Amino acid sequence: MRIGNCSGFYGDRHAAMREMVTGGELDYLTGDYLAELTMLILARDRAKSPERGYAKTFLTQLEESLGTALDTGTKIVANAGGLNPAGLAAAVRALAERLGLEVAVAHVEGDDLVARRAEFGFADDVLAANAYLGAWGIVECLAGGADVVVTGRVTDASVIVGPAAAHFGWTRTDYDALAGAVAAGHVIECGTQATGGNFAFFGDVPDLVHPGFPIAEIDADGSSVITKHPGTGGLVSVDTVTAQLLYEIGGERYANPDVTLRLDSLRLSQDGPDRVRIAGARGEEPPPTLKVSLNAVGGFRNAMTFVLTGLDVEAKADLVQRQLEAGLAVRPAELEWTLARTDHPDADTEEAASALLRCVVRDTDPKVVGRQFSSSAVELALASYPGFTTTAPPGDGQVYGVFTAGYVDATAVPHVAVHADGTRTSIPSASPTKVLEPVAPAPMPPSPAPGPTRRAPLGDVAGARSGDKGGGANVGVWVRNPEQWSWLAHTLTVDALRELLPETKNLPVTRYLLPNLRAVNFVIEGILGKGVAHQARFDPQAKGLGEWLRSRHVDLPEDFQS
């Protein structure tokens, strides 16, 4: 059975749904619209109006594609319901009526725990508290004849696992098959990241102007082939699939509400042009708890960026820092300075001769980080360092969010399939379950033979993919052959990572080996502060962290080719 994906986030390519339903055969089309930051956006949207709280772009996409999907028998499953899946289901029915289409729309609910904050010990200021549900509510909706299923917060892979389980009639203890579907779902749920987007070796991609969205051809045993529609841009290769498997993961166990996938069991092989087979998936019982996404407003944030040009950059930075702090009537609760030495000596353009000094302030009082802060910066314009200028005019402070992860007993969370006719089916929590435990470290490959080396970027031979994990981040690094794997496993240790990425020096870092993927994965705790919306660093989602690592110079064996 063929499952396509048309969305990796709220705001992804609008035309993707239409391209997928018209580009070739599909049994199911899925979309992932939710992320940690998205849940906060939708929570603020819902606070303005109870009828809101879902991904509105899903409806405009569906307006172009629903008729074609019904004609071709393609069922649609998406988590675009966000904080209001019932509202989105009603809106889809209204859209279908306006278009003159008969469609059975079902939805899944139960993930929203915000009204039970006190019961679970969540903070009173939490705007959104959503448990990550699994796939079996989707299965029930599809078994009931739904053409369109919308959900709230289910795991990203669940929108793929649900159709696969419904199609093949898997039971809840078919762990290996379910794990294989989780692997396929993890690869395609971020859309074109599986077909050459955000890819370390993007020069290998023949046509990245308009990459096609991915498809998983899933077999009855859970193994799959990742591909895309014929004639579309991009690339599906072992490397592009490896990169996405390493995205936003932790250790060898990848826990989902229905099964725990052993990432160290997966084997990849090229199965033809733009076709990669994922086989060997092993599954274990899921954990007894569900992760909960908790989003709150942390306060207000503002920033000013000063341009420092030419000579004496550090002295200029010191001067304006002392001046601004002395001129603040009230010191914000948080005040951070970052100097980016983007300047070059004897530069042939003014921009290349300039560094950027950034001041970020946060406080619960919008006035403290609003005009009081901005005006203090502007007042220095004729009284500070030579060449004083900023990258943008002053402005008011903006709300920022705080993300935390909670965990609750899965049996305490309702999981309900609401069918097209309004009947409701309760979905029992998983049983049996198994508490996650550390995996015994994988055996190290043989030590590499000593030999001559050259100083060069790590990225000459290694790919990387990084991303946010709450307040932490992961960086997965992989290589392409056994010789490089032996070198990588012995060379890129936690201590080496701290040396290459000094920002990680005082943070907890854990390394995991994935020999089947010739990859190491690092989980770096605390590097993103209190989550993406907190914007603790200039790359708040850690998307470029892996590319920074690849750019650092190491001693590469001379016989390793770029």
Side-chain angles (χ1 to χ4, degrees), residues 126-482:
V126 166
L127 283 181
N130 297 85
Y132 288 76
L133 300 180
W136 293 98
I138 297 170
V139 174
E140 182 66 28
C141 289
L142 292 172
D147 302 306
V148 177
V149 181
V150 295
T151 77
R153 178 71 277 187
V154 297
T155 67
D156 299 343
S158 290
V159 295
I160 290 92
V161 177
H167 185 87
F168 292 115
W170 293 336
T171 70
R172 300 188 66 154
T173 56
D174 286 328
Y175 295 128
D176 290 348
L178 292 167
V182 167
H186 182 56
V187 171
I188 73 169
E189 52 92 0
C190 267
T192 52
Q193 280 195 171
T195 59
N198 292 352
F199 178 51
F201 303 112
F202 65 94
D204 295 349
V205 182
D207 178 13
L208 199 50
V209 173
H210 195 79
F213 274 68
I215 297 167
E217 298 177 350
I218 301 180
D219 293 327
D221 64 354
S223 62
S224 64
V225 170
I226 307 301
T227 184
K228 58 189 183 68
H229 281 322
T232 56
L235 173 72
V236 180
S237 69
V238 168
D239 281 332
T240 68
V241 173
T242 297
Q244 185 54 27
L245 282 172
L246 295 175
Y247 183 57
E248 294 181 344
I249 63 168
E252 301 89 345
R253 285 189 165 102
Y254 186 63
N256 268 245
D258 305 312
V259 66
T260 295
L261 163 64
R262 287 292 297 262
L263 286 164
D264 52 355
S265 68
L266 300 177
R267 298 190 306 274
L268 306 182
S269 59
Q270 200 72 37
D271 199 49
D274 290 319
R275 294 178 63 82
V276 171
R277 179 166 293 279
I278 304 177
R282 285 172 44 214
E284 299 172 342
E285 299 92 334
T289 57
L290 297 181
K291 181 179 177 180
V292 182
S293 170
L294 301 170
N295 283 280
V297 171
F300 296 84
R301 175 187 180 279
N302 208 344
M304 289 290 290
T305 300
F306 303 89
V307 181
L308 313 175
T309 303
L311 305 176
D312 306 318
V313 165
E314 292 187 3
K316 292 172 179 175
D318 177 68
L319 172 60
V320 73
Q321 180 174 341
R322 287 187 289 111
Q323 288 179 312
L324 179 59
E325 292 190 18
L328 292 172
V330 178
R331 186 180 178 90
E334 297 180 42
L335 191 152
E336 301 170 354
W337 292 91
T338 305
L339 177 59
R341 293 302 301 265
T342 52
D343 54 307
H344 302 273
D346 194 22
D348 58 0
T349 66
E350 183 177 342
E351 187 172 6
S354 300
L356 299 176
L357 176 66
R358 189 164 177 253
C359 181
V360 177
V361 291
R362 299 183 185 88
D363 201 281
T364 56
D365 186 345
K367 295 179 181 179
V368 171
V369 298
R371 293 292 172 176
Q372 290 183 18
F373 166 71
S374 298
S375 297
S376 296
V378 170
E379 289 172 359
L380 301 174
L382 304 182
S384 190
Y385 62 88
F388 181 103
T389 187
T390 62
T391 59
D396 294 326
Q398 302 296 317
V399 170
Y400 73 89
V402 172
F403 169 86
T404 54
Y407 293 88
V408 299
D409 192 313
T411 60
V413 178
H415 186 171
V416 181
V418 184
H419 297 280
D421 62 1
T423 59
R424 302 169 64 86
T425 303
S426 293
I427 308 299
S429 57
S431 180
T433 60
K434 182 180 180 181
V435 175
L436 290 180
E437 297 176 348
V439 174
M444 291 283 285
S447 298
T453 62
R454 60 185 174 92
R455 197 72 178 168
L458 174 64
D460 272 11
V461 298
R465 175 67 61 79
S466 57
D468 58 292
K469 291 182 68 64
N474 91 296
V475 183
V477 184
W478 83 95
V479 289
R480 293 167 155 176
N481 62 52

Side-chain angles (χ1 to χ4, degrees), residues 24-39:
E25 292 184 7
L26 290 175
D27 296 301
Y28 296 89
L29 181 62
T30 65
D32 176 23
Y33 292 78
L34 304 182
E36 293 166 2
L37 180 60
T38 311
M39 300 304 285

Side-chain angles (χ1 to χ4, degrees), residues 522-538:
F522 295 92
V523 176
I524 306 164
E525 298 178 32
I527 194 168
L528 301 182
K530 299 175 183 177
V532 171
H534 187 233
Q535 296 192 352
R537 56 195 309 273
F538 84 104

